[in-house]
Amino acid sequence: MLELHVCNADGAMLKAYALGEKEEVLIGRDDGCDIQISSRAISREHCVIERNGADLVLKDLDSSSGTFVDGDKIDAIALSSGMEVRVGPAILRFYEASL
């Protein structure tokens, strides 16, 4: 199971989330988001993590500032352990959760 670490621009972890078995995890600055990141550079509903069989896919929701992996703007990407995704000033790091 993947775990998501929300980090600031300096790389310091702010919060960790176990992605578990949810079918969908909404990320944005809106109060109704599953993972809320308070920054004007992040859209109200910025991106979503969706379960696709055994895989997790992150999709940008036509955000105003975009979603980036390795400096490239993406629409959707399959997630894997060690991956970093930038949304506004935040870095989303994905790790295989250890028990």
Side-chain angles (χ1 to χ4, degrees):
M1 169 178 39
L2 281 181
E3 184 173 279
L4 165 60
H5 294 184
V6 178
C7 304
N8 66 17
D10 296 327
M13 186 179 74
L14 304 173
K15 197 148 187 189
Y17 298 89
L19 295 177
E21 298 299 321
K22 274 187 97 170
E23 291 297 315
E24 182 178 283
V25 177
L26 185 60
I27 301 168
R29 73 171 199 267
D30 191 77
D31 290 338
C33 290
D34 300 302
I35 297 174
Q36 187 179 9
I37 303 171
S38 298
S39 170
R40 286 280 181 206
I42 295 177
S43 296
R44 292 182 193 281
E45 293 184 349
H46 196 98
C47 56
V48 65
I49 298 170
E50 295 178 340
R51 186 163 298 286
N52 184 4
D55 297 326
L56 292 174
V57 176
L58 184 137
K59 295 181 181 178
D60 184 80
L61 297 174
D62 292 324
S63 64
S64 55
S65 62
T67 301
F68 296 85
V69 174
D70 295 329
D72 296 323
K73 189 172 183 179
I74 57 105
D75 292 323
I77 194 163
L79 296 173
S80 60
S81 185
M83 183 176 281
E84 290 188 357
V85 178
R86 182 173 288 275
V87 292
I91 300 168
L92 309 179
R93 290 188 177 138
F94 296 89
Y95 297 99
E96 191 62 41
S98 58
L99 297 175

